[in-house]
Amino acid sequence: MTNEDTLIIGGKKLKNRLFLGTGKYGDHRVMEEAIKHAATQVVTVAMRRVNFENEEEDIVRLIPDNIILMPNTSGARTAEEAIRIARLARASGLGNWVKIEVISDQKYLLPDNQETLKATDTLVKEGFVVLPYMSPDLMAGKRMIEAGAEVVMPLGSPIGSNRGLRMKEMIQMMIDELSVPIIVDAGIGKPSEAAEAMEMGADAVLVNTAIATAGDPVQMARAFDLAVKAGRISYLSGFGSTSLKAQASSPLTGFLD
Amino acid sequence: MSFYDKLQHLKGLPIADHLASISPSEIETILTKSRIDEHDFLKLLSPAAEAYLEVMAQKAHQLTVQHFGKTMLLFQPLYLSDYCVNICKYCSFSVDNSFPRRRLTMDEVRKEAEIISDRGIQHIILLSGESRNHSSVAYLIESMSILKDYFASISIEIQPMDTLDYQKLVKAGIDGVTVYQEVYDEKVYSEIHTAGPKRDFRYRLQTPERAAAAGMRTVNIGALLGLDEWRKECFITGLHAAYLQQTFPETEVSVSFPRLRPHAGSYKPKVMITDKHLVQAIVAARLFLPRAGITLSTRERATLRNNLIPLGVTKMSAESSTVVGGYSEPDVTQSQFDISDERSVKEVKEHLQQANYSPVMKDWQLI
């Protein structure tokens, strides 16, 4: 991996490809430490939890200035709600990056691609850098890009499930076919799964539950950082081909030719 | 099909006999599963499952942390009125209990809001006795014009309403409805609700459905524990929540397990539910409903509430007053029931932090 291996989103160059969520931490100080040890450059914050009036609870205050803040529209069940939350975030001074999260199913918390697309369309026109979180679907991804999404963020498995890359085949198609960076968001439960996503060619991963609910979140953040880096190097190195048949490096039957 | 129809199917089933026949090996099998169905849920409420409470609690904790994190939403009730038109044998607000009734004026609503808001609370629930005249849609909308300046999320626990009325309230910014069925046995229900519109069992049972259909973001249900056999009541509460989740995927469903508390009347609980039983109800519900909210009020004492934090609870009230106007003028009138945990919001927050839980004061906002 060279210094030139950067990910560019919204005109910003990123060297670290691990994005972090801020939910589910029992202790904000642990969250701060985890962010530090993950070496992340992008952190997402649920606008519904942002509480500027209460300093003690203000998560935003705990995020270092050199980290890009990506407010998300968690809690939105329609495009309209997501749009209003995004506008509120920008008006509150949280920048113009927004992760669109529209979840109308409260049991499995699966994103609603159709509403997400509507919100993406509107917010791009309003000048936001839009990163839509979505169910992996190639055509829906294409439409998000047509609407102006800077990246697409397919889920690996349902949010908070820690079940890994259950949607692997669908994500691979998106990686292979779509023209914008693919960030695997949700479901990644272990560093090895983050590495796997990166080896598949994902441009970044977003992790929250796996770190926030780990026995030692700080060490887990570090492990994820290393795994994402390893996965990226592995992908860039190019894999040897695979074969069903044995291909010995020094053939034993070559003399028969 | 409404949940009422499902309840009719349950009516003739020998649930009590079935509960008594569950064997330890059946519980052990259930505890190896990653997903449990309603038959398993019933078994986890059986006497046989009591021997497995620790294993159930561990699993409940794990599931709760996975889905909700180590977080706890704190909220407070705001009692608007104690006028009521029903006779409920177990409730202080019952119309046959004599005490000076009161409804807050808009100035008083503001006073209460200021005090609650100063404590850092951003989620409130508006409560009233059940009286269409005193806690009318118009009165609630007028109150909202004041309250929305103070709070991020406002829900209600008042008399059941029609869908159209709920729609008006959603438009005004109210985002949740709590309605306790009190008791799911229709016969017992009729015995303890002796007068007033609340006697309509079916209308009350279908209230969460009307609220969800009207677009309420959250619906909280529960049975008042003590009015009938608790295992059966908790089982049906769980089925009711699962039905709502299935039928209204956009609605966030929560359950409560309120135990009957001392009140102004002379009604004595039919059943005593012990702390151990309450724990069993909560952890069984968490295993059956991994994504449902579980709400715990100040009816329970501080020590027990502290111990229940890691077992599945996701929302807690704190420093509650169950008196109309009770925050600005404590003890001026009748409380709905006695509270047990009298700690301040600050103290509850401190305890949560010591327990490595993050108190959440804001989890949504009026937009």
Side-chain angles (χ1 to χ4, degrees), chain B residues 51-277:
Chain B
Y52 297 88
L53 267 193
E54 178 55 29
V55 187
M56 288 167 68
Q58 294 287 349
K59 288 191 81 151
H61 171 67
Q62 201 180 9
L63 270 176
T64 311
V65 172
Q66 184 192 332
H67 289 294
F68 296 88
K70 286 190 160 188
T71 63
M72 187 70 67
L73 176 73
L74 295 184
F75 69 96
Q76 259 184 358
L78 195 172
Y79 277 72
L80 293 172
S81 156
D82 50 22
Y83 287 96
C84 190
V85 294
N86 297 308
I87 297 183
C88 307
K89 289 186 174 176
Y90 52 84
C91 180
S92 302
F93 288 174
S94 187
V95 71
D96 56 344
N97 286 332
S98 177
F99 62 93
R101 305 267 170 170
R102 184 179 180 201
R103 183 180 85 162
L104 297 183
T105 64
M106 289 305 129
D107 280 347
E108 289 168 334
V109 167
R110 188 182 297 280
K111 267 190 207 165
E112 294 284 289
E114 279 169 359
I115 292 169
I116 298 173
S117 166
D118 283 349
R119 294 171 176 175
I121 292 283
Q122 283 287 300
H123 287 235
I124 60 162
I125 178 164
L126 305 177
L127 290 101
S128 73
E130 298 198 359
S131 164
R132 278 176 188 274
N133 287 336
H134 295 92
S135 37
S136 65
V137 171
Y139 174 73
L140 290 165
I141 291 175
E142 197 185 353
S143 302
M144 280 301 289
S145 66
I146 292 168
L147 295 168
K148 60 187 179 191
D149 290 341
Y150 293 89
F151 303 108
S153 167
I154 300 166
S155 59
I156 49 170
E157 184 182 345
I158 60 166
Q159 72 278 0
M161 290 182 171
D162 294 338
T163 308
L164 273 176
D165 283 340
Y166 283 134
Q167 282 170 344
K168 288 178 195 164
L169 296 178
V170 168
K171 210 172 157 199
I174 288 174
D175 56 25
V177 166
T178 286
V179 60
Y180 295 145
Q181 185 56 31
E182 320 293 14
V183 61
Y184 282 95
D185 185 301
E186 204 162 350
K187 189 167 165 289
V188 177
Y189 185 92
S190 142
E191 286 164 8
I192 53 180
H193 300 101
T194 57
K198 195 170 175 179
R199 279 181 63 75
D200 190 339
F201 178 87
R202 188 171 181 162
Y203 187 74
R204 189 169 191 88
L205 188 75
Q206 292 173 335
T207 304
E209 296 168 37
R210 292 192 302 277
M216 287 289 172
R217 293 176 57 82
T218 64
V219 166
N220 187 42
I221 60 165
L224 186 50
L225 300 177
L227 297 178
D228 199 10
E229 209 290 304
W230 73 270
R231 297 180 203 272
K232 191 181 77 178
E233 288 293 297
C234 290
F235 174 57
I236 299 174
T237 305
L239 296 190
H240 194 181
Y243 167 85
L244 292 169
Q245 283 188 328
Q246 186 77 26
T247 314
F248 302 99
E250 295 195 11
T251 309
E252 184 190 311
V253 178
S254 305
V255 286
S256 298
F257 298 95
R259 293 195 284 187
L260 199 52
R261 293 284 303 146
H263 59 102
S266 59
Y267 180 83
K268 292 282 172 282
K270 183 175 166 184
V271 187
M272 289 306 294
I273 172 164
T274 63
D275 289 355
K276 193 174 174 184
H277 292 156

Side-chain angles (χ1 to χ4, degrees), chain A residues 11-22:
Chain A
K12 298 207 170 167
K13 284 185 179 180
L14 304 172
K15 285 187 179 172
N16 188 291
R17 292 167 183 267
L18 170 61
F19 295 9
L20 245 57
T22 48

Side-chain angles (χ1 to χ4, degrees), chain B residues 316-328:
Chain B
M316 289 171 100
S317 52
E319 204 174 350
S320 302
S321 166
T322 65
V323 176
V324 177
Y327 296 111
S328 44

Side-chain angles (χ1 to χ4, degrees), chain B residues 349-360:
Chain B
K349 279 171 76 174
E350 280 167 5
H351 175 79
L352 284 166
Q353 281 157 345
Q354 277 161 19
N356 197 27
Y357 271 72
S358 180
V360 173

Side-chain angles (χ1 to χ4, degrees), chain A residues 160-232:
Chain A
S161 68
N162 282 350
R163 296 181 71 192
L165 301 171
R166 300 285 168 137
M167 308 302 287
K168 191 173 176 179
E169 303 292 330
M170 304 291 280
I171 294 171
Q172 188 68 64
M173 287 177 212
M174 297 177 85
I175 291 171
D176 294 345
E177 303 300 329
L178 297 181
S179 55
V180 298
I182 306 295
I183 300 171
V184 178
D185 180 359
I188 289 177
K190 297 183 191 124
S192 57
E193 291 158 358
E196 188 181 1
M198 297 306 293
E199 284 184 343
M200 283 164 62
D203 294 276
V205 296
L206 194 152
V207 181
N208 182 19
T209 303
I211 296 175
T213 66
D216 185 340
V218 177
Q219 286 307 310
M220 189 58 85
R222 200 169 148 253
F224 265 99
D225 175 37
L226 296 171
V228 169
K229 287 188 167 107
R232 180 66 182 169

